Amino acid sequence: MSSVCGYESDRESGRPDFRSLDGMARPNTTDSGPDPAADPGFLDETQATTMRLEARVRHDSHDIDAWQQLAVHQQTIAQSSFTSSRLTQHAVFIVQADVLRRALHSNPESSELALAYLDACAHTMDDDAMLSEWTRVVRAATDPRVVVHHVRFCQTSVAARFSVPWMARVYAAAVQQVLECRSFENAGMCVVELVHCAALFYREAGFGERAYGVYQAALEWYVMTSNAMCDSTHGVHRMQEFREFWCSGRPRVGAATAKGWTVENERTADNGMDQGPVECDAESISEWAQAELSRSQSAPFSCATGTLDITETQLGTMDPFALTVFEDVEPFLCDLVLDPDAARALVSLFMQFVGIVGPLTCVFPVQRSASYELSWTVSGAGDDMFSAASALFVDSTYGSDSTGAQSTRAFPFVSLPITLDTPDTPLTYAHVCPWQRLNDSTQKFAYDALELLAQAPMLDQTSRTQLRIALLESSFVQSPELGTRMARRLLLQTPECLALWNALAKMHARVGDWPSARKVWANAVVQAQEMPAERVWKIVLCKSWFVLEATHGWGLAAAVDLLACVATGEPSAIQRFVEAKSADMTQTGNADTTQIDVADIERAQQLVADCTGARCTDPDEVHLAILTLRCWLAYAAHGDPQAADSIYNQSPSKHPALSALAICSIHLHHALTRRVHCTSDLRARVHRAVLADPHTTPLWEMMFAARNACGSELTHARLVSTVLATHPPDALPDVRMLAMYVALRKDTSRNCTSHVRFLLRRATRDGSSQSLYMWMVYIAFELKVGTMGRAKRVLLAALRVCPWAKSLYLLALGGQLSNEFSAAESQALARAMVRAGVRTRLSLAHISA
């Protein structure tokens, strides 16, 4: 590459083995002459930065940060020295690739340099050259994350060679390439991410059975296998046993009778499979696309059919893609024991895949994926993801007056565990993400899978409890009746699980069934007092009851009285308090006029002090509960959130996001109950918390709640812009969607439309995102504002990076955009869909445009 730039090698001259754009422009100096860097006025800032970075890499060729800064600095040199043009930009990429290639000579094991180098090459090489370069880098890679990036590149950037079978071979080779990397530090997490990406890929390409089969196999192999079996059984023998299990038709994860592949179990009856592609009566491609969509949505859900007893007659009539054979899932199974974090991540991603939000999924996890993508997809939408994406605009005020009436879904695109102790806008059950609207078959599969995984030997007790809580709250999301039945089943299995009792009480409170909620809490507190090993855990129960009672129940004074009753240690005192308070509230019309008693605060503080420092099975949860109650009691004693701030600032927490949520809740409660229109304290606290963790959904909810209840404008758009400015341009797609939603609610002018388009371009990473859901949201917006031509261009741009996406083809051929495509264009799209290997259930052989 250096010969292309006209530069000779510097190895023999003793100068650094690299060149930058202004490297030849510096004045020549001799050993006896003055040093230009010694005169601050001699060099401009760009040249001074160049010389400083060159000096750093000359001094230490292993300074990876200096090499990266030097490569990025070439863009600054070009902007200050040359006219901006495509040729100039091309030259910059060439020089950047040259700098990074030379950096890799000194640091061959640096994955950061390798990925930066390949990113620069992508702008100067064709597809074949890039594939060759990627192959060379992957073979030399020691970091398995490079393999994940390679898979993403093949899936989105090689449109000329792409097909579903070719991509399946790429995924099949990727897991083995991860194991060949010399560093095993991230091997488990990379295998988990490959499983998730492959499952999303298969489902979006129409191969739903294979997508679920990949996850079934991975969960059985990695999570439902004990460490003892991994240690005692050779990998080859274990694989052979797993092959026999998979082909036998015994129930797998997701079946009601499944017990894990290592446990002998009876085979399940065949639940029916879809027939192979059949002739279609449609006379046009548009009619075929509509029939194909209807057929896909009505197809039977088959995920556990064995292959041993299938007859030739059945093979001749069935859809071959409805059967996931062992060879389809074998590439994702390797002789690797996942560490606890990777095992939890696999289960968490599976929950996302089936559309369930729970504590294991969304307690603000740090993004560890190989790229900035919104990994959520719509599990129950089948091939009609567009309808789910369009739901985002149902409650927006776009096209109406700009006052912005309060919606039941203030933040409808990122969700959170409902059982979190958050006094936000009470999360109603209209407030659920589109991906949580499960159809009957998907719901049964997901619930049966979670029940089995809650007994997985590779998960710790905390993770199992979190799975049960996720199952409980997801059932309540569907309906309170279903949630109550599910709670009975789970509590019969683990009646001593106080966390599950706590979650049940909170779910009753969320749906407004406060008598049931208080009864469950009272019984759970009494149960905790009678269990020596869990006695300290009652403070967690008290914290949840206190927070929700103070914010959505009887009020702060009643919540303090409640803690004072618990402090007495008398089981009957709590029940008497609940009965007396219920009668009092009935007489006063649910208006709590009770003054907070200082003696009650002191007894409550003593209860908290008695639990501080005590040994327990879950110290982090107990510590957070103690900190939360100390802050609330300080606020109750002084009536000023500054008192709570003083406690919070002196008590560091291991979970800063959750503790920040607790203190912000106090500020929000003060603003709502005192009707304080100047919410500067709340704004400042939320501002700091959101900057630290922008994915914490309840913090954003607090802003909407304060604005709507107090009439206080918390400058949503400004805060969102500040958060986005502190992260890379292609990061935080969920926050960019929030910015879009805020803009739609605030303004309906043409400027707003342009601003939303800008946000959506960034959310789709300027055309390089492989998040199909994000693309569907972009198309839905353009259709919402009536710009059909733009919607068509966005769809074609999405197909360039997501050529496997069946829902995009169906939207173009038979959806709202079908009239925008000519007959020739529709035929070309249909041929492209067939060439890409996208699965169709109806034959296209006799369809004419």
Side-chain angles (χ1 to χ4, degrees), residues 3 28 100 114 189 255 279 315 359 534 635 640 656 759 766 788 821 843:
S3 60
N28 293 326
L100 292 166
M189 291 298 300
E279 297 297 331
L315 286 175
E534 300 292 342
Y635 167 69
D640 186 355
L759 295 170
D766 291 325
M788 307 296 288
F821 290 88
S843 175

Side-chain angles (χ1 to χ4, degrees), residues 291-309:
E292 173 69 21
L293 179 59
S294 177
R295 180 68 180 271
S296 299
Q297 293 175 332
S298 61
F301 187 80
S302 174
C303 289
T305 304
T307 58
L308 293 180
D309 300 326

Side-chain angles (χ1 to χ4, degrees), residues 418-419 426-430 432 472-484 503-517 521 548 552:
I418 304 172
T419 48
L427 292 181
T428 62
Y429 293 95
V432 290
L472 173 67
E473 68 178 26
S474 179
S475 302
F476 265 95
V477 166
Q478 306 303 322
S479 72
E481 293 77 14
L482 177 61
T484 302
L504 174 59
K506 286 187 281 188
M507 295 307 294
H508 278 308
R510 289 290 187 186
V511 297
D513 187 4
W514 278 98
S516 297
W521 265 316
L548 287 178
H552 297 315

Side-chain angles (χ1 to χ4, degrees), residues 152 192-193 196-197 199-201 203-204 215 345 348-355 361-362 365-379 385 413-414 435 695 732-734 737 763 769-774:
R152 291 183 181 275
V192 167
E193 186 163 1
H196 184 64
C197 292
L200 292 178
F201 167 73
R203 185 167 66 187
E204 292 170 359
Y215 252 121
S348 172
L349 290 173
F350 171 71
M351 291 169 63
Q352 294 187 20
F353 181 75
V354 297
T361 314
C362 285
V366 178
Q367 277 195 327
R368 290 171 293 186
S369 61
S371 69
Y372 299 109
E373 296 287 356
L374 193 63
S375 60
W376 287 95
T377 58
V378 183
S379 61
M385 193 179 293
F413 23 82
V414 177
W435 44 75
H695 299 288
L732 306 183
D734 51 348
M737 293 185 72
S769 173
Q770 69 179 70
S771 175
L772 182 56
Y773 184 69
M774 297 296 299

